[in-house]
Amino acid sequence: MEWETVIGLEIHAQLATKSKIFSGAATTYGAEPNTQACAVDLGLPGVLPVINKEVISKAIKFGLAIEAEIPPKSVFARKNYFYPDLPKGYQISQFELPIVSTGHIDIQLEDGSTKRVGVTRAHLEEDAGKSMHEGFGGFTGIDLNRAGTPLLEIVSEPDMRNAKEAVAYMKKIHSLVRYLEICDGNMQEGSFRCDANVSVRPKGQNEFGTRAELKNINSFRFVEQAINIEVERQIDILEDGGKVIQETRLYDPNKNETRSMRSKEEANDYRYFPDPDLLPVEIENSFIEEIRTQLPELPDAKKHRFINEFKLSEYDSTVLTAQKEMSDYFEACVKAADGEAKLSSNWITGELAAALNKENKDIADSPVSAEMLGGMVKRIKDDTISGKIAKQVFEAMWNGEGDSDSIIESKGLKQVTDTGAIEKLVDDVIANSPSQVELYQAAPDDKKGKLIGYFVGQIMKQSQGKANPKQVNELLSKKLKS
Amino acid sequence: MSLDKSEVQKIAWLAKLAIDDQDISTYSNELSNILGLVETMNSVDTNGISPIAHPLDLTARLRPDQVTETNHRDQFQKNAPLIDDGCYLVPKVIE
């Protein structure tokens, strides 16, 4: 039987605020355990939560970016469950009346087409603390620094049909929250994580199959692997005549398998009710409009501008705009290169991306700044150096040997454009290669282009790559004709 | 509406309360009475009245995003029965 996969994602994005969602404790990552957990975060008797305004405006910012409706009233609710890293015994979340209602984003599929994925809602909630099960001699250690950190939970429609689409969606949301500067997107530190609801059904069937929820996946690669392995598991069960159980499962990247989390099964009775400690939040239109004016240029708009303004291909523009830092780098580079966009794009997506990848560096930590790379591109453009020599210059810049002009100067990499000097090189090579000259002159016109390569190669070798290739070619053709 | 024994046990379990078997019928009666009151309220015609999320007809005042709290870990941890390395210790909660 042919099966169809149905996937919906719940993404938790930690909102980048200085203080917590309901208290004035700091949110800095990596502090000493429990030094950033105040009485409110600990759920001590008599405390009251007070909502952080920045959390509300960051959530609205996201809502506007996905063209969602922002309801005029937003209500917080208690989600009740028992776990030691949740000191109050409930998590303050939203149930009815979330801050952001239905919206959508467009994702790019591998075949180049675009698919619209619905976002059901996005709601605010507080994060729980952290439980550490190792290193405490048979006990579990609880660090409540993370308790009360603001989260935006972004819930998608079950619109995705394979793991690659799910990854594309997750990457797009990741790119969006970073463009909006509402979340740092750091997946290693858990600022951006994802649960995947996965089910399969016979192709053509309308009703959904029973789903499993894969919890807390914190990398793009793991999302793809976890979904694929879970789909395989479910199809195996169904083809053996079994039934998929609705449950929460954990992905183990080491074994590449998903495992049932039976311990949490019975706890799925959250008894939501409006939190009596918190009044409803009224969202005035003027507040929404004020936030709208602060929206930056978003990835899709930027991509189209790059295509129009810089005459880049759709592919290059997509690559350059996926990450805000990358697009900023590109624009700064073009500026430094006196407007040379295509070459800048090639160097950024080629040499620079490869070098960053190799050393596992972010573009923000690139040893070659946009201004330095732009300066080098300018020198390719004005024929000071050839594209081939530029690779040497790039490498030297990467190794901290200075900017392109000083490297070109100190290493003597300047292209030879003096016609007299080039002519001498050309004459020498022609004089030393009588048999190749004969071959060239006897060859039909359509073969000549290939044969001239030998002479060019010799001349470049003599000049250590510094002769201007265009001039060499021109002179050669002229001299070999006679 | 009345609650049976297993429903009372489930509510107690969710609330993390240990209750004696012999008290279950008393709890069942008392909880059923509360539900009876809810049923009485349910019979009121509320068509055309929009639900409220809070008894007070007010909206929340928001707080500026500023860190106002300082570290009082030592004081807080004086209340904890067990601590180690800055962490609160609880019985192991994973199999």
Side-chain angles (χ1 to χ4, degrees):
Chain A
M1 187 184 290
E2 232 193 300
W3 300 94
E4 181 178 54
T5 305
V6 175
I7 305 160
L9 295 187
E10 292 167 17
I11 292 175
H12 288 88
Q14 214 171 73
L15 296 177
T17 54
K18 296 188 202 74
S19 65
K20 294 188 175 170
I21 180 168
F22 300 118
S23 83
T27 54
T28 323
Y29 180 81
E32 278 285 296
N34 293 305
T35 53
Q36 292 180 166
C38 72
V40 174
D41 309 325
L42 295 178
L44 294 186
V47 298
L48 280 175
V50 187
I51 304 164
N52 184 342
K53 185 174 181 184
E54 190 59 25
V55 169
I56 301 290
S57 67
K58 283 193 156 63
I60 293 175
K61 215 174 202 178
F62 176 79
L64 294 175
I66 60 162
E67 292 172 9
E69 203 187 308
I70 312 293
K73 206 175 240 187
S74 197
V75 170
F76 285 93
R78 291 185 180 182
K79 177 180 178 177
N80 298 279
Y81 68 91
F82 180 79
Y83 208 68
D85 57 26
L86 186 76
K88 297 193 297 296
Y90 59 86
Q91 177 192 30
I92 306 179
S93 179
Q94 298 196 284
F95 192 57
E96 287 172 271
L97 300 175
I99 185 99
V100 173
S101 68
T102 323
H104 57 83
I105 62 162
D106 292 333
I107 58 169
Q108 209 90 38
L109 303 185
E110 277 189 329
D111 65 3
S113 65
T114 299
K115 176 172 178 165
R116 178 154 287 189
V117 177
V119 174
T120 315
R121 58 186 269 161
H123 64 254
L124 288 167
E125 60 187 28
E126 56 179 346
D127 208 343
K130 215 159 57 192
S131 301
M132 286 160 287
H133 307 294
E134 302 301 327
F136 291 95
F139 287 90
T140 291
I142 308 288
D143 174 10
L144 295 168
N145 280 347
R146 203 179 62 184
T149 301
L151 297 178
L152 185 66
E153 179 172 336
I154 303 155
V155 184
S156 86
E157 292 285 315
D159 283 350
M160 288 150 282
R161 292 293 171 267
N162 58 56
K164 286 219 157 33
E165 288 183 16
V167 173
Y169 168 83
M170 191 176 171
K171 281 189 173 163
K172 193 65 182 276
I173 297 277
H174 187 254
S175 155
L176 205 55
V177 296
R178 304 236 307 170
Y179 262 81
L180 295 167
E181 293 176 340
I182 61 173
C183 168
D184 67 17
N186 189 325
M187 295 168 88
Q188 257 128 40
E189 293 176 5
S191 307
F192 189 88
R193 45 193 205 260
C194 153
D195 302 341
N197 287 307
V198 180
S199 64
V200 297
R201 63 181 171 190
K203 205 158 186 144
Q205 180 183 302
N206 273 328
E207 305 90 75
F208 293 132
T210 307
R211 65 166 196 265
E213 186 181 8
L214 308 177
K215 274 273 179 206
N216 261 332
I217 318 174
N218 67 351
S219 88
F220 297 123
R221 194 160 55 95
F222 289 166
V223 167
E224 187 167 345
Q225 288 174 0
I227 291 171
N228 283 333
I229 204 76
E230 175 61 17
V231 165
E232 247 176 68
R233 187 189 72 91
Q234 292 187 11
I235 291 175
D236 282 351
I237 292 177
L238 293 170
E239 290 192 337
D240 285 348
K243 265 183 158 174
V244 175
I245 327 166
Q246 185 170 337
E247 61 179 351
T248 304
R249 299 180 70 84
L250 204 63
Y251 176 65
D252 180 345
N254 295 320
K255 294 186 183 153
N256 193 29
E257 62 174 26
T258 65
R259 261 200 313 271
S260 178
M261 291 172 72
R262 290 188 194 285
S263 54
K264 278 213 166 178
E265 233 170 81
E266 240 190 314
N268 269 340
D269 188 346
Y270 293 131
R271 296 150 291 150
Y272 281 98
F273 63 89
D275 191 327
D277 284 346
L278 288 160
L279 290 160
V281 182
E282 197 172 35
I283 315 285
E284 283 174 29
N285 247 325
S286 57
F287 187 50
I288 297 177
E289 289 317 309
E290 188 191 316
I291 293 167
R292 200 190 296 278
T293 62
Q294 298 164 9
L295 280 183
E297 184 182 30
L298 297 175
D300 287 348
K302 188 166 278 191
K303 182 175 98 184
H304 288 118
R305 179 165 66 79
F306 278 16
I307 295 172
N308 292 326
E309 187 178 331
F310 299 118
K311 309 286 173 251
L312 296 180
S313 68
E314 165 126 18
Y315 177 80
D316 286 344
S317 304
T318 306
V319 173
L320 289 170
T321 54
Q323 224 191 322
K324 182 171 182 293
E325 289 77 4
M326 175 89 96
S327 66
D328 289 347
Y329 188 101
F330 168 73
E331 292 202 83
C333 180
V334 173
K335 202 170 161 210
D338 287 344
E340 178 50 46
K342 183 61 192 156
L343 264 180
S344 296
S345 160
N346 289 350
W347 274 89
I348 293 170
T349 57
E351 216 77 11
L352 177 71
L356 291 169
N357 221 351
K358 203 169 139 203
E359 294 191 16
N360 207 2
K361 277 194 161 87
D362 258 359
I363 195 154
D365 309 320
S366 168
V368 178
S369 71
E371 288 68 27
M372 285 160 77
L373 189 65
M376 187 194 85
V377 168
K378 191 159 85 179
R379 294 294 166 242
I380 304 173
K381 185 82 196 306
D382 69 12
D383 280 339
T384 306
I385 52 171
S386 65
K388 209 167 163 196
I389 289 288
K391 295 197 175 167
Q392 280 183 49
V393 177
F394 179 82
E395 211 177 288
M397 291 198 296
W398 183 271
N399 294 326
E401 293 173 37
D403 67 11
S404 61
D405 282 0
S406 62
I407 290 166
I408 293 167
E409 184 67 39
S410 67
K411 292 193 185 264
L413 296 173
K414 207 166 167 195
Q415 201 159 221
V416 178
T417 50
D418 167 13
T419 317
I422 294 178
E423 196 163 0
K424 188 171 177 314
L425 284 167
V426 172
D427 288 343
D428 285 354
V429 169
I430 289 178
N432 289 327
S433 327
S435 56
Q436 275 84 0
V437 173
E438 220 171 285
L439 210 64
Y440 176 87
Q441 281 166 345
D445 274 356
D446 63 327
K447 293 270 158 51
K448 280 193 157 69
K450 208 169 176 187
L451 288 167
I452 206 168
Y454 167 80
F455 300 99
V456 177
Q458 290 298 310
I459 292 163
M460 293 315 261
K461 206 162 139 193
Q462 298 285 324
S463 73
Q464 289 160 315
K466 288 185 288 186
N468 178 294
K470 209 168 128 209
Q471 279 172 293
V472 169
N473 265 303
E474 276 168 16
L475 273 170
L476 263 175
S477 320
K478 205 162 81 191
K479 292 198 178 249
L480 285 168
K481 229 182 255 170
S482 49
Chain B
M1 172 164 190
S2 71
L3 289 170
D4 65 28
K5 189 176 161 181
S6 69
E7 286 169 314
V8 173
Q9 278 167 327
K10 187 180 178 202
I11 292 165
W13 183 82
L14 285 169
K16 301 289 154 197
L17 294 173
I19 53 172
D20 285 336
D21 256 11
Q22 62 196 40
D23 295 334
I24 289 181
S25 63
T26 318
Y27 288 129
S28 169
N29 280 336
E30 288 174 356
L31 289 169
S32 298
N33 282 340
I34 294 172
L35 290 176
L37 179 66
V38 174
E39 259 168 47
T40 309
M41 292 193 281
N42 265 345
S43 65
V44 178
D45 179 14
T46 54
N47 273 330
I49 301 172
S50 50
I52 55 167
H54 201 278
L56 300 178
D57 189 19
L58 295 169
T59 53
R61 291 248 298 245
L62 306 178
R63 167 179 69 80
D65 181 26
Q66 278 161 11
V67 176
T68 51
E69 295 286 345
T70 49
N71 174 22
H72 295 294
R73 182 174 77 181
D74 292 346
Q75 271 165 286
F76 290 138
Q77 294 200 332
K78 277 185 191 152
N79 291 320
L82 276 173
I83 49 169
D84 184 22
D85 236 2
C87 287
Y88 297 91
L89 295 192
V90 298
K92 207 158 186 163
V93 284
I94 201 166
E95 308 90 71

